[in-house]
Structures are given as structure tokens and as C-alpha cells.
Amino acid sequence: MGWGTLITRRLKVFSLALFVYFDYKAVQKRVQWVSAVKKNAIWAKTHERNARRVLNLMIELEGLWVKMGQYLSTRADVLPEPYIEVLKQLQDSLPPRPLEEVCGTIEKELGKPMRQLFATFDVDPLATASIAQVHRATLEDGREVVVKVQHDGIKEIILEDLKNAKSLIEWIAWAEPQYDFNPMIDEWCKEAPKELDFNHEAENTRTVSKNLSRKTEGGSGSVSSDVDVLIPEIIQSTEKILILEYMDGIRLHDNDSLEEYGVDKKRLVEEITRAYAHQIYIDGFFNGDPHPGNFLVSKEPPHKPILLDFGLTKRISQSMKQALAKMFLSCAEGDQVALLSAFAEMGLKLRVDMPQQSMEIASIFFRQSTTATEAKENIKALNEQRERNAKALQEKMKLNKKEVKHFNPVDAFPGDAIIFMRVLNLLRGLSASLNVRIVYLDIMRPFAESTLLGNMTRGPSTNGEWIYDSPVNSEVESKLRSLLLEMGSDKILGLQVCAYKDGKVIIDTAAGTLGKYDPRPVQPDSLFPVFSVTKGITAGMVHWLVDQGKLKYEETVADIWPKFGTNKKELIKVYHLLNHTSGLHNALGDVVKTDPMSVCDWEEMLDQIAKSTPETEPGSSQIYHYLSFGWLCGGLIEHASGRKFQEILEEAIVHPLHIEGELYVGIPPGVESRLATLTVDMEEIQKLQGIKPGPDVPPELLSGIAQMAAGVPAMFNTLNIRRAIIPAANGHLSARALARYYAALAAGGAIPPPHSSNAKPLLGSHVHTPAFPTAATSKKKKKGSAKKSSGSSSSMEKVEYAQLRTSDADSEVSVAASGSTGGRLFSNSDSGIMDAFMGGGEYSGMIHPNSKFGLGFRRYGRSGAPPTGFGHSGMGGSNGFCDPEHGFAIAVTVNKMALGSVTRRVVRFVCEELGVPVPDEFSVAGEKGPDMVLNLAPPAE
């Protein structure tokens, strides 16, 4: 092809593009002044005339433009109807190439004259497509075949068309930035040339045929046995010739024939979808070009789909396959954390933190298909959603309307994901063109689950990576790992155990996977949601402020937090909050029931708790404050310090202990890839129905407990909840960070030696608040402006505390204060601070008689004997506690919520191995504390 021809093709493409663009811009201006009826008629005529212009040029130029037109003709779900009707003609044959050209190519490629190759050769082609022409023939041995012959000179045309298409897409992105298809055309430029080698297509066809014919065992059993499609056998191939088995079938656009043969079009599209789900999720090798021209329907019942043309076939890695499956399932479950994690795993990088919009956009690809008759409503809905997302982006980034059009929220888009999304779009277009409705989530889900569950259900006996490969710190740890293998994946999904003895790490083990649909291994730095274990962290912050002289245990809360002193709360003291005796055990219970997501609004919760009314007199009875504890203590912390809750958490605990990046109450953006996902062991949770609560447990906590436990993971897996500040229930941490915290408390605040240098990654090596790419794109940022944590929407804002009890000279609690004690969290004496934790000595009068709680911590010990330890358990099984007398601290984190049998067995085993008394809370028959109501296991273990 000469340069003149190439330049002419380019001029024709850009001339038409400009003509169509200005036509639409003119109509946009014109319809502003007409009625709705006339407006619709004008747009219909505009679409039709421009569709015909596009069609005529595509037929004239052929090559890549025909393939692009075929793709567009399948998008009845997003393109105006006139385009679909007009461009549908490209699904039919193009004008045939001369027979002399066809025969010349065959003889040149196969090295023999036609008469020696075929007994018969039909002169008229079955079809003429963008790259090749197909003829029916009979071989000398009598086999009926089709011969696919590449057009002469098509390679040069396709390569030139790709350049033109790239330039056109770049121009569109410049003129209308909201329509930036550069990532898609870049991937197409990389993949399309592979279609020009028919040897490549032949090998692809054999591979796909072999993959779809074998039965694959997945996590849910066999998911592929029902994939029932036909693929022609390859007879012979060269670079430009492909001879394959002839199969008599009906084309998908031949609606009359489909009706005549009684083809079930819905079942047909479902079967094609199943075949592609198998290729993507099971095989990781799929046809990237499923337009209607690449399918036939067998004329014989049960009218199986016939899959054709495997020139554009994509192979993806195991990690990408898992990431795509995870993305699909996260959309099905509405799990924003899993979605962002899937994005990170596949290499999709975002410039802005907008998880809700990310979920909406991703879910578009897996939504139920619409019929062609619903296309107009569908396009309208998608446009409205696009406008909403643009507005949200504009507000988030503080951009004007012009700037938001030029802001691309995607920093990097993986090519593999582009082909995957193109396939989903083509399948959707297929169902729309056949006017059937398909529920993709139901069809594809078993295959996506199989990809993830396949590895995970191998269990510890066959999966060498089930226990994370980390150094063994002691003989006890070696024995513990054997115990975990024995317990197996039936009871353990993901788990961490870390223990200290006399200030040294003796156990730091991680096992299992991060979630039901997340096969990545749990690592020592993985972050687990630990529910009420968080209360022990929050209590430690209150004790730290007392140690710093910012408040006193016997002080009236209203003196510190003036707004709190209303509705009969004037006599509530600090120690009442810590000891669960304030009478506010059900405060905000009704608010949370009415609107569960209201817990994400930190300032609103503090305001509501300040207005609440106690149900009992302060100090008269101890009833577990299952949620209110966090907001009561959290408000106290902020008003006593004059600082934000997160700032005190970092200064009092995180930085002194060097556990950055592994202990949060409300996670910041950027740590999602390390989060464990919650699930429930429903078989054990059902046993809660027969449990009778003790007097220290609010009946509201146990009402409908099984139903509540089943719903908790769905709620606490959402990103809004994970990012909220809920100091009673929303800690996200690693077991090694929690164990280090309790090891310090066990030593009266003395900070233990550095964690093992053999641990990978090192404890404290993470950036505590990761820098999000948003910061790099923000405009007019003030020099020296501080980056703030986004633990919740309210924590991003500076709050004015007009009534804070701090003086000018005493307004800041300095970092130096915590460091001046020479490696201690508290300056108080060991015995004094320990008495405060456990409610002993001079503090014994501050706790309720026979109290299960000291000041903020659950007291551990054996029946009939004084308590020997303290800590806090969490709903579902996570736990942290210490035994100061024996220099022992341990933390266990789990993501499969159950009745605590795993945690209890682990703690009991470690204590017995070390000769440390086993607290009743972890014994088989001993009395359990309030949170361990959810951690009861049957007596026989």
C-alpha cells in the first residue's frame, strides 16, 4: 500500500470525525430552544444520518474500521438505536474479494494447486469479514471444511488503521475529556496484530477447545461440567490460511431462522456467558472478541452455541485471574474494601479516594443486561450516573466544571483488565441485540468463586503456604503451628498469634487467608477488625491522659466535657465510664438501630451521647456498655486533651511502641490491601440461641443475636465503617501490635525491646498514614500544609472546642512527654498503674463489687482467687490480654467469627506450655465475660 493511499485513509477518517463532531455540537445548541417532542425527533434524525456516514466510510475503508463497527453494533445497551440498526449491517458479509486473489493466496501458502488441495471449493464465500474471507470446501478425503483466507495486503492496512484510531481517540479525549478511551485503544494496538497470524489463531482454538472440554474441580465442586458449546476442529494452518471443520449453523442476527428452529435465545446467551466465564476465571485464557459474527447456533437440538474466531485471545496470569474474580465478587457483595484491594492487585491505580463511586462504576460491567427495547432508559440512567460521579469528583477535588472534565481519576489501567471489560461489554451487547435479559452475577459467580476457593479449600494439609513462612521464635511456637495444622481450615479462615514472655517475642505466627474470597495469605502485618478488643486500646488512652495529668479518675465528666452534664449525668465520674457503671449501657441503641451507618459520624455520635439519659444511677450496677463505651471515652479523651482522638492514639500508643501502620481505630486510605475480611461460622453462631445472658449483659445485646452476628460482617466489611472512629468496636490491627501493647502494660508501661529483626516486614516499617495520589494532583496547595488522616469525615476538619479545659501553657500533650520517661508509656509506678488497670489497691473503691472489670479492662483469673491478668475480648473471637505476674502477654486475631473455640484453644495451649495459669475466660467450663458471650464454645472441644 502506497503512502498516497495511507494519507488518503487518514484524511477520510479525520474529516468524517470532525464533520460528525460539529454536527452534534450544532444540534446541541439547536435543541435548547425546541419542545421535548421535537427535540427527540431532531436527535433521532441526527443519530441516523451520522450512523450512515460512519457506516459508509467503514465499508469503504474495511480493515480495522469494520471490526470497530461490529463492536459498536453490539452495544445496544449504550448506543442510540439508529446506530445499532445501521451498523448491524456490518455483521453481514462485506463485498467479497476476487476469487483470483483468494486462490492465489491459498496456493502460495500451501504450495499446491487448488485441484490437489480440495475435491470441491465453493466459489461464493460463506462470509467476508474485516481480515479474511471464508469459503466452504471438501477435502480429498471427503471431510467438509471451511477455508479462511486472509485478505491480500490487510496487514499493512490494519497497522495503519490502528495508528489512525489511536490519533482519533487522542483527539476525542482532548475535545471531550470525559470520553477518554486511550487505555482501550492502547491495549487493542498491542493485541490486534496477533489476529494476522492464523497459526496463532489455530493454536488458540485448540487450547480453548481443550480447556472447555475438561471438567474442572473448584471450591464448590465442578462448575464447568455444564459448559456445553461447540468449537470446530483445526485441520491445517499457515500464517494466512486456516482450514477447520465445517459446522452448519445459524447466524445470531438471523432472527427469522432462530425463531423457525425454536432456539431459546436466553439459554443461548447464558451458555455463551458460561463459556466465557470458564475461559476467564478457570482457564485464564479467553477470546477477547465475542461479537455476534463470531458465533453460530447449531441447527440440531439442543441448538448449542458454536464458538468461532480465536485470533484475539488473551492469556492472563494467575494473580490477574484472581484479582478479576475478586473484583467480580466484591461487586456482587458490595464490598468496597475487597474492590479496592482487587484494583491494587491488578495494577489499577486511582488518583482519588472515592470508593462508593468506584463500586458504582465497577458494578456497571456486571449489572443485569437490558433488552434493546430498554436501551433508551439504560442510556439515560448511565448518563445520570456519570453526571453524579462527575459532580462528586468535582466536589472531592475542589475543581471547576472545566477542570473536572480534564481530570482523569485513573492513574494506571492494566491492559488485561481492558480486554476483560471489553468482553463483558460485548457479551452485554449480545444479549441486548437478541433482546434477552441476562443476570450475569448469577451465571458467572460460580466460576469466580471457584478461582478463589479452589486454592483456599486445599487446606493446611496440602497447602504449604497455609502457615506464613516466618521464623520460629521458640519451641512453643513450633508446637503451636502443629496444633494449627491439626485444627485446620474448617475452623480457621485466617489467624494471627503473637505472644511475649518476660518482654521477649516467643510467638509470631500467621496462618490462613485474608478472606473467604481473598486467597492471599495472612501475613504478620495484616490488619484484622477486632471489635471490642478496641475497648482495651481506648481504655489505655484514658489511663495515659490521667498519667499526663490531663484528668483524674474520680473527676466528674461534666467538668471536663460541659455539654455532657445534662439529663441526670451530672454525677457521672471518669471511673464510671471505665467500669461500665455509668448507666448509659444502651445509650444510642435506638439511633444505631434506626440508622446503622450513623455510627460513621463521629461528631454526631458525640453530640448524641452528650444528650443521652442514664437508665440506672451512676455506680449502682455494672452493665456492659457494648457500643456507648467508645463514644463516652472518646469524647472524654478529646475534651481532656484538646486534641483529636486519632492524634492521642498515635502519640500515646502507636509511636512510643513503634507499631506504625499496624494499629488503627478507623483506617486511613491506602491500607486496604492488608485488610482481612470478616465472615461468619454460622453453624456455631446458631448455638447462641440457647445462651442466657448474665446480669452484666444488656438483654438488647443478645436479642436476635444470631441474626445480628450474621449481619455484622456485611456491615463491618464496608469501607465507611472501617474508616469511622468507633472506639468501642472498630480497631484494625495486627496481633503483633496488640501483643506488644499488652506486653508494655504487663510491665507497668515499660516498652519491650524491639520486635524481632527477622520478622518480614519489620513491625513499625509501614507509613502510618499513606500518602494518597490525590495530594499530587491537588491544585494551589498551601506550602507546608499538613496531611491529615481520614479516619472519618469529621476527623478531617478542625473542630473548635470553646469549652476545653486547657490553658495556653498546657494546651498540648507533647511527644517529648511520653519519651521523657525513658522508654515507658506511663510515668506512674508499676504497681500504681497496674492497680488502676485492674481496679485494685487505692482504686478498689472505684469498681463495682465483684466486678468483672477493672478500670476499662476485663479482669482475668480463676474462680475464687484474685484476678491475675487483664485484657479485652472481641465479638467473634479476637482477644488480647496479659498476666503481669508471669510476664506474659498474648494476642489472637481471627476473621472467621465463631464462638471463640479457636482462640480459647490457642490461649489454653500456650499458657499450659509455659506454665502460666489459664484464666477462666479461656477454660472449657469457666465463667465468661460480656464479650465472650459471643465466644462460648460447646463443653467438648
Side-chain angles (χ1 to χ4, degrees):
M1 180 181 292
W3 280 106
T5 304
L6 296 178
I7 292 173
T8 300
R9 290 177 71 87
R10 172 165 286 206
L11 286 174
K12 287 182 177 180
V13 168
F14 279 91
S15 296
L16 179 65
L18 285 169
F19 197 90
V20 170
Y21 177 73
F22 287 121
D23 188 10
Y24 274 106
K25 283 296 182 183
V27 172
Q28 275 184 341
K29 298 286 187 182
R30 177 184 169 194
V31 297
Q32 292 178 0
W33 315 107
V34 300
S35 65
V37 175
K38 287 185 178 180
K39 183 184 295 185
N40 291 336
I42 291 172
W43 277 120
K45 289 182 179 179
T46 305
H47 293 323
E48 185 171 356
R49 68 171 173 266
N50 284 310
R52 293 201 175 280
R53 288 166 178 162
V54 171
L55 173 69
N56 292 336
L57 185 62
M58 286 178 168
I59 291 176
E60 177 187 347
L61 297 181
E62 297 185 348
L64 181 78
W65 301 108
V66 171
K67 188 171 285 292
M68 185 174 290
Q70 290 172 337
Y71 169 64
L72 294 175
S73 73
T74 67
R75 299 310 311 278
D77 56 327
V78 293
L79 278 181
E81 187 177 352
Y83 276 90
I84 304 303
E85 291 302 316
V86 171
L87 296 181
K88 193 183 289 183
Q89 298 175 48
L90 294 172
Q91 302 296 348
D92 298 321
S93 285
L94 298 171
R97 293 298 180 100
L99 184 63
E100 294 78 8
E101 176 190 316
V102 172
C103 292
T105 301
I106 292 173
E107 291 179 342
K108 181 179 178 181
E109 287 290 305
L110 298 180
K112 292 181 182 180
M114 293 288 290
R115 65 178 181 276
Q116 294 182 17
L117 294 169
F118 306 103
T120 63
F121 188 89
D122 287 6
V123 174
D124 296 324
L126 291 171
T128 302
S130 56
I131 291 177
Q133 187 161 294
V134 179
H135 290 259
R136 186 174 178 180
T138 307
L139 298 179
E140 289 293 330
D141 59 9
R143 283 183 292 174
E144 291 190 68
V145 297
V146 294
V147 184
K148 184 175 179 179
V149 184
Q150 192 174 117
H151 299 324
D152 189 33
I154 194 63
K155 183 174 184 179
E156 291 77 9
I157 292 174
I158 291 290
L159 295 178
E160 178 62 23
D161 287 348
L162 285 170
K163 293 178 185 176
N164 292 340
K166 173 64 176 170
S167 298
L168 180 61
I169 293 299
E170 288 177 342
W171 176 76
I172 292 173
W174 172 81
E176 301 289 336
Q178 66 270 39
Y179 299 108
D180 184 359
F181 302 110
N182 271 299
M184 181 175 289
I185 196 65
D186 289 342
E187 185 64 15
W188 207 353
C189 288
K190 185 173 73 173
E191 296 295 331
K194 296 177 182 178
E195 291 190 83
L196 301 171
D197 184 351
F198 288 174
N199 283 320
H200 181 75
E201 180 178 343
E203 187 58 35
N204 291 343
T205 305
R206 293 187 185 100
T207 301
V208 173
S209 180
K210 180 181 177 182
N211 289 342
L212 293 183
S213 64
R214 73 169 184 260
K215 189 172 181 178
T216 304
E217 295 297 327
S220 303
S222 172
V223 297
S224 60
S225 56
D226 293 331
V227 175
D228 200 4
V229 297
L230 301 173
I231 298 177
E233 179 188 355
I234 300 298
I235 308 298
Q236 186 178 359
S237 69
T238 69
E239 183 181 357
K240 297 181 179 180
I241 300 294
L242 184 62
I243 302 175
L244 57 159
E245 173 190 6
Y246 172 76
M247 288 185 172
D248 191 17
I250 310 165
R251 292 207 168 271
L252 295 191
H253 63 78
D254 187 355
N255 192 61
D256 291 340
S257 295
L258 292 175
E259 294 289 343
E260 180 184 343
Y261 279 88
V263 175
D264 184 340
K265 290 185 282 188
K266 186 172 186 292
R267 180 186 174 279
L268 173 69
V269 178
E270 287 178 344
E271 206 57 61
I272 291 172
T273 303
R274 287 180 60 81
Y276 272 84
H278 191 290
Q279 291 175 64
I280 294 166
Y281 295 122
I282 304 298
D283 309 322
F285 188 75
F286 59 95
N287 183 356
D289 195 24
H291 66 76
N294 286 344
F295 299 98
L296 296 173
V297 185
S298 63
K299 294 181 177 180
E300 298 295 324
H303 305 300
K304 299 179 182 181
I306 301 171
L307 277 54
L308 308 171
D309 193 351
F310 293 88
L312 181 58
T313 306
K314 184 73 178 177
R315 185 180 297 279
I316 56 178
S317 66
Q318 179 68 17
S319 59
M320 175 58 75
K321 188 170 68 171
Q322 290 184 350
L324 292 176
K326 188 173 179 180
M327 180 176 75
F328 173 88
L329 291 168
S330 66
C331 291
E333 299 286 330
D335 187 340
Q336 296 169 349
V337 174
L339 179 66
L340 296 183
S341 176
F343 284 172
E345 290 168 43
M346 67 176 64
L348 194 160
K349 299 178 181 178
L350 302 176
R351 290 193 177 104
V352 61
D353 176 42
M354 298 178 67
Q356 181 60 42
Q357 285 70 29
S358 298
M359 175 61 73
E360 289 178 1
I361 292 169
S363 297
I364 287 174
F365 294 100
F366 308 113
R367 72 193 187 281
Q368 177 176 299
S369 68
T370 54
T371 62
T373 56
E374 299 167 334
K376 186 178 293 185
E377 290 78 8
N378 188 56
I379 293 172
K380 182 181 178 182
L382 290 177
N383 286 335
E384 289 174 351
Q385 182 172 321
R386 186 183 295 115
E387 290 175 5
R388 287 196 305 271
N389 290 340
K391 185 177 180 180
L393 178 63
Q394 183 179 349
E395 293 174 355
K396 175 82 174 180
M397 301 301 296
K398 296 179 173 56
L399 304 171
N400 60 38
K401 289 185 178 181
K402 184 176 180 181
E403 289 172 331
V404 77
K405 282 187 176 182
H406 290 271
F407 180 81
N408 186 351
V410 179
D411 188 48
F413 208 110
D416 290 348
I418 289 172
I419 296 293
F420 168 75
M421 292 171 183
R422 179 172 184 267
V423 167
L424 294 179
N425 283 333
L426 284 166
L427 291 174
R428 183 173 304 284
L430 194 64
S431 63
S433 64
L434 289 173
N435 212 35
V436 295
R437 185 179 287 103
I438 303 298
V439 183
Y440 290 101
L441 289 177
D442 291 347
I443 297 172
M444 303 182 84
R445 183 170 193 141
F447 298 92
E449 287 182 338
S450 180
T451 295
L452 297 181
L453 299 180
N455 285 338
M456 296 158 66
T457 54
R458 288 186 296 162
S461 60
T462 57
N463 189 342
E465 297 179 356
W466 192 78
I467 289 184
Y468 187 73
D469 185 16
S470 59
V472 177
N473 294 280
S474 65
E475 184 180 352
V476 175
E477 182 168 28
S478 179
K479 292 179 179 180
L480 174 65
R481 293 185 179 187
S482 297
L483 174 67
L484 296 178
L485 289 172
E486 178 188 323
M487 294 170 71
S489 58
D490 286 344
K491 291 298 178 186
I492 300 172
L493 177 60
L495 166 144
Q496 295 169 322
V497 183
C498 185
Y500 280 72
K501 186 72 170 71
D502 300 324
K504 296 181 180 179
V505 177
I506 58 168
I507 297 172
D508 190 7
T509 288
T513 59
L514 285 175
K516 180 180 178 182
Y517 296 129
D518 192 340
R520 293 175 301 149
V522 173
Q523 299 186 28
D525 64 336
S526 298
L527 300 173
F528 281 67
V530 293
F531 295 101
S532 286
V533 171
T534 317
K535 291 182 175 73
I537 305 295
T538 303
M541 295 166 65
V542 175
H543 286 291
W544 187 81
L545 286 172
V546 171
D547 184 69
Q548 295 288 321
K550 296 298 176 182
L551 54 82
K552 298 176 181 178
Y553 299 118
E554 65 275 15
E555 201 164 3
T556 302
V557 175
D559 289 344
I560 305 163
W561 183 358
K563 285 186 178 180
F564 188 81
T566 60
N567 298 330
K568 302 179 181 179
K569 298 193 300 297
E570 296 85 353
L571 299 180
I572 294 177
K573 299 185 182 298
V574 171
Y575 67 79
H576 289 139
L577 305 188
L578 291 171
N579 195 233
H580 299 267
T581 55
S582 74
L584 294 166
H585 42 277
N586 286 323
L588 304 191
D590 291 339
V591 175
V592 173
K593 286 178 183 177
T594 304
D595 181 12
M597 297 307 291
S598 64
V599 299
C600 298
D601 190 334
W602 172 244
E603 298 299 337
E604 176 62 19
M605 290 294 99
L606 293 186
D607 187 57
Q608 290 290 335
I609 203 80
K611 297 175 182 176
S612 61
T613 303
E615 297 181 21
T616 60
E617 289 293 325
S620 63
S621 58
Q622 184 179 72
I623 303 178
Y624 184 52
H625 291 39
Y626 54 101
L627 268 180
S628 57
F629 180 92
W631 295 308
L632 290 168
C633 291
L636 178 70
I637 288 166
E638 290 202 340
H639 284 79
S641 67
R643 310 269 300 282
K644 299 301 293 180
F645 180 90
Q646 301 283 33
E647 294 173 345
I648 298 301
L649 173 63
E650 292 174 26
E651 186 169 335
I653 296 172
V654 173
H655 296 319
L657 291 175
H658 304 294
I659 52 176
E660 287 83 359
E662 296 193 29
L663 191 150
Y664 299 98
V665 179
I667 63 166
V671 303
E672 292 84 5
S673 63
R674 292 192 285 127
L675 292 180
T677 304
L678 293 166
T679 189
V680 174
D681 187 336
M682 284 307 299
E683 183 179 341
E684 286 205 11
I685 294 297
Q686 290 300 329
K687 297 170 185 174
L688 289 170
Q689 300 285 14
I691 295 175
K692 294 181 179 179
D696 60 333
V697 180
E700 292 79 1
L701 181 58
L702 279 179
S703 98
I705 194 70
Q707 292 81 357
M708 183 190 78
V712 161
M715 182 176 176
F716 275 78
N717 281 335
T718 64
L719 203 53
N720 286 340
I721 292 290
R722 287 184 185 258
R723 289 183 176 178
I725 304 174
I726 311 174
N730 201 34
H732 286 74
L733 45 79
S734 66
R736 63 183 186 175
L738 183 61
R740 185 168 176 80
Y741 169 67
Y742 275 108
L745 298 190
I751 296 172
H755 199 77
S756 172
S757 60
N758 295 323
K760 303 297 180 186
L762 291 174
L763 178 60
S765 62
H766 288 287
V767 175
H768 195 65
T769 306
F772 208 78
T774 301
T777 59
S778 297
K779 292 189 171 186
K780 300 179 181 178
K781 209 163 183 98
K782 290 183 180 180
K783 187 175 181 181
S785 62
K787 295 177 184 176
K788 298 182 180 179
S789 168
S790 55
S792 74
S793 58
S794 58
S795 69
M796 296 285 289
E797 303 170 0
K798 182 175 177 63
V799 180
E800 298 295 334
Y801 290 103
Q803 297 175 307
L804 291 183
R805 199 194 52 163
T806 51
S807 66
D808 293 340
D810 194 34
S811 60
E812 292 274 334
V813 180
S814 67
V815 176
S818 65
S820 63
T821 59
R824 297 182 60 85
L825 294 180
F826 307 100
S827 58
N828 198 344
S829 67
D830 292 1
S831 60
I833 194 66
M834 208 71 68
D835 284 343
F837 295 154
M838 299 180 67
E842 64 179 295
Y843 305 100
S844 59
M846 296 182 182
I847 68 171
H848 196 265
N850 301 315
S851 177
K852 293 181 173 64
F853 282 92
L855 294 182
F857 296 96
R858 161 70 170 158
R859 304 200 299 180
Y860 292 162
R862 294 190 170 185
S863 297
T868 57
F870 60 92
H872 218 294
S873 58
M875 182 170 66
S878 295
N879 195 288
F881 87 95
C882 61
D883 182 333
E885 183 180 336
H886 294 85
F888 176 67
I890 188 169
V892 181
T893 58
V894 296
N895 59 352
K896 188 173 188 178
M897 298 175 64
L899 303 185
S901 59
V902 170
T903 301
R904 292 168 58 215
R905 191 170 177 187
V906 166
V907 172
R908 210 164 52 240
F909 174 84
V910 174
C911 287
E912 289 171 352
E913 286 290 321
L914 295 173
V916 174
V918 180
D920 280 350
E921 189 146 6
F922 302 99
S923 69
V924 174
E927 185 181 5
K928 310 299 186 291
D931 259 296
M932 292 298 282
V933 165
L934 298 181
N935 293 343
L936 290 175
E941 291 188 5

